[in-house]
Amino acid sequence: MTVIEVSASKNYQVLISEGLLGSSGELISGLVKGKTAVIVSDDNVFPLYGERVKNSLEKSGFAVMSFVFPHGEKSKSMAVYTELLEFLLSNRLTRSDFLVALGGGVVGDLTGFAAATYQRGIGFIQIPTTLLAMVDSSVGGKTAVNLENGKNQVGAFYQPSLVICDPNVLSTLPKDEFLCGCAEVIKYAVLFSEEFFGELMNTPVENQLEHVIKTCVTMKRDIVKSDEFDLGLRMLLNLGHTVGHAVEACSRFTVLHGQAVAIGMCVIARSAVKRGYLSNDDAQRIVSLIEKYSLPTMAEYPIDDMFSAALSDKKASSKDITIIVPRKIGECELVKIKKSELIDWMKDGGVK
Ligand code: NAD
Ligand code: GLY
C-alpha cells in the first residue's frame, strides 16, 4: 500500500491500494471518536460500492446511515447541501461523528463543505471513485457548492481526516470520465515532471494506476504544503483552466471539464510558442500526448464568445488575471496579464 502524508492545517494520510474499499472500517476506526458514520454518495456510485463500504464500517462497530443524491454537477447546489445538513440534524449527528464522501469530485466537494459547516465542523473521510477525484479533488481541502450563476462560489478550505483510494473502482467508471481524469494527470506532468510526462507517453494510465495516482498526489501534496490557501503557487494547478472554463461555458457544458482543460492546455501551449516562452517541439509533444489519450486539442467557438466566457467568472474589480504558461515540459510560470490581453493569447493559441 502507498501511504502519502499530507501536512496542512490538518495532517492526514492518503492511502492507495487495490481492494482498500473493503477495509474502510478498519482504516477509519483508529481516527475518529464517534460511532456514527454517514455515507454521502450519488445514485451511480452508491449502488456499486455503498454496501461494501457500509459493511466494512459496520464490521468495525460503526452505526451507518446513507445520504444519496442524483449524480452530476447540478447536485453540487445549495439545495442539496441544505438537504444534507437537515438530514444530519434530524439524525442527531454530533461533532464526534463523521461523514464519508464516496464518489467523484461532486460528492467530495459537497460533502466536504457540509462537513466544514455542520455544527462548525465535523470530521470527514474522502473515498474518491473517479480518476479526477483520486489525483486532484479529494486532496487539498478545497470544498464548495455552486450558486446559480457561479461555480464553486460558496465553500471553505477544510481538510479531510483520511483519503482512501482504491483503483479497482475505476473499472466501472465510464471511458469519457476516465479520460477526463487523464487530462488532469497530463496537467501534472506538464507542470512538474518531464520524466512523468515520458511515462504517460510510453505506458497507458490504466496500466500504471497506482503509480500515476501516487505521483499526482505527491505533487499536489507538495503544492498544498507550500500554499494551502491558494494565494500563490497553488494557482499553477489551474493550467489550462482559464480557456477550459470558456470552452465549457460556450459548449453549454456538453464538453466535459477534462476535455475542456485538454483544449485549454493546447491553446496556451501554442500561444506560449508564439510568445517565446516554450519551444515548438515541447508544444507539439504536449498536443501529441493529449491526442494519445483521445482528448480534444481545439474547439471551434468564436473568439469573442470564448473571451467573454473566460472572463465571466473573474472578479469584476480586478484589471488583471493570472494565467499559467508552460516554459518547458515539467516547468510552468504564473504570468499576470491585463484581462484585455487574454483575447490575443487565445488568438495566438489558434482560437478564431
Ligand atoms: P463527478 O463526481 O460528477 O463524477 C463523474 C461521473 O462519474 C458521475 O456521473 C458519477 O456518478 C460517476 N462515477 C463516479 N465514480 C464512478 C465509478 N467508480 N463507477 C461508475 N461511475 C462513477 O465528477 P468528477 O469529474 O469526479 O469531479 C468533478 C467535480 O470536481 C467538479 O464539480 C469540480 O468542480 C470538482 N473539482 C474539485 C477540485 C477540488 O480541489 N476540490 C478539483 C478538481 C475538480
Ligand atoms: N484543483 C485545484 C486545487 O486544488 O487547487
Side-chain angles (χ1 to χ4, degrees), residues 163-210:
V163 183
I164 300 173
C165 290
D166 178 349
N168 285 349
V169 304
L170 299 178
S171 62
T172 54
L173 190 65
K175 180 91 180 156
D176 276 353
E177 296 291 351
F178 184 81
L179 293 175
C180 282
C182 292
E184 301 285 351
V185 169
I186 294 169
K187 179 191 81 178
Y188 280 103
V190 174
L191 282 171
F192 303 121
S193 170
E194 177 155 34
E195 186 187 342
F196 185 45
F197 190 93
E199 290 168 355
L200 299 177
M201 193 57 112
N202 294 330
T203 312
V205 167
E206 58 269 33
N207 294 351
Q208 46 168 347
L209 279 173
E210 189 165 334

Side-chain angles (χ1 to χ4, degrees), residues 136 142 220 234 237:
D136 191 354
K142 278 192 183 175
K220 181 149 189 188
R234 189 165 177 170
L237 298 176

Side-chain angles (χ1 to χ4, degrees), residues 42 44-45 73 76 104-106 109 129-130 137 142 151 169 172:
D42 73 26
N44 282 334
V45 177
E73 187 70 29
K76 214 174 103 174
V106 165
D109 280 14
T129 64
T130 62
S137 62
K142 278 192 183 175
K151 207 168 140 64
V169 304
T172 54

Side-chain angles (χ1 to χ4, degrees), residues 29-46:
S29 60
L31 293 173
V32 294
K33 291 194 203 96
K35 276 286 152 215
T36 304
V38 174
I39 301 175
V40 182
S41 192
D42 73 26
D43 59 358
N44 282 334
V45 177
F46 192 81

